[in-house]
Amino acid sequence: MYEHILVPLDGSKNSQQALEEACKLAKQFDSTLNLVTVINNTNFYYGAGAAGMPPSMYDDQHKIAENIINEAKKYADSQGIKYETSIDIGNPKNIIAHVYPDEHDVDLIVIGKSGVDAINRLLIGSTTAFVVRNATTKVLVVNTKD
């Protein structure tokens, strides 16, 4: 039923719980998880004009993204789940809702209710809300356990 399940990860408690739920589904359907984190470069374009992200800031963000992916890999390994990983750069909303699912034949997106980016959520709306409204595939939103 679900061959490829996309799990967007941002290091938040919600994304960890989404990963846990996706692992349960992957076991049930013998699915492959697509563990993805997106380095949001849109903030840097707005704040720095057209200059984009300074190289040192990109390096820092990439290290954080690698840590997020590595933790997710450890969890998926501990559950015996097949997975693929990706660190993308761009607008997380667009990549999660459209780009990644379309390029990787994703059948389901399992996403946390909210993530770590509270400022953007207040200013321009949450990534989760955007994905629910605009995704090209089914979406499962996972609430926190608390």
Side-chain angles (χ1 to χ4, degrees):
M1 180 173 207
Y2 300 117
E3 290 183 41
H4 299 279
I5 300 173
L6 171 60
V7 186
L9 302 162
D10 63 4
S12 69
K13 186 176 183 179
N14 278 134
S15 72
Q16 175 62 34
Q17 291 172 340
L19 173 61
E20 292 169 11
E21 189 68 28
C23 283
K24 291 176 192 173
L25 291 168
K27 284 180 184 178
Q28 183 174 357
F29 296 109
D30 193 32
S31 308
T32 298
L33 295 185
N34 296 89
L35 308 173
V36 176
T37 190
V38 181
I39 297 171
N40 184 353
N41 68 355
T42 58
N43 293 342
F44 302 104
Y45 285 111
Y46 298 137
M53 188 184 311
S56 64
M57 192 172 286
Y58 168 79
D59 291 342
D60 292 343
Q61 292 297 310
H62 199 269
K63 286 177 188 171
I64 292 168
E66 285 177 341
N67 288 338
I68 291 168
I69 290 293
N70 287 336
E71 288 301 312
K73 287 166 54 175
K74 285 180 195 174
Y75 184 79
D77 284 337
S78 76
Q79 299 299 305
I81 303 297
K82 301 174 290 191
Y83 59 83
E84 298 172 3
T85 64
S86 180
I87 297 173
D88 293 350
I89 301 169
N91 181 328
K93 293 176 181 182
N94 190 45
I95 290 171
I96 295 165
H98 300 291
V99 176
Y100 196 93
D102 293 347
E103 291 178 357
H104 295 88
D105 297 320
V106 169
D107 304 301
L108 176 68
I109 301 169
V110 179
I111 190 169
K113 184 176 177 182
S114 63
V116 295
D117 199 355
I119 293 172
N120 269 347
R121 190 167 53 248
L122 288 172
L123 296 175
I124 56 178
S126 78
T127 299
T128 301
F130 181 89
V131 170
V132 168
R133 286 191 312 271
N134 296 285
T136 56
T137 189
K138 296 175 186 171
V139 180
L140 171 63
V141 178
V142 178
N143 287 328
T144 59
K145 294 177 184 172
D146 318 349

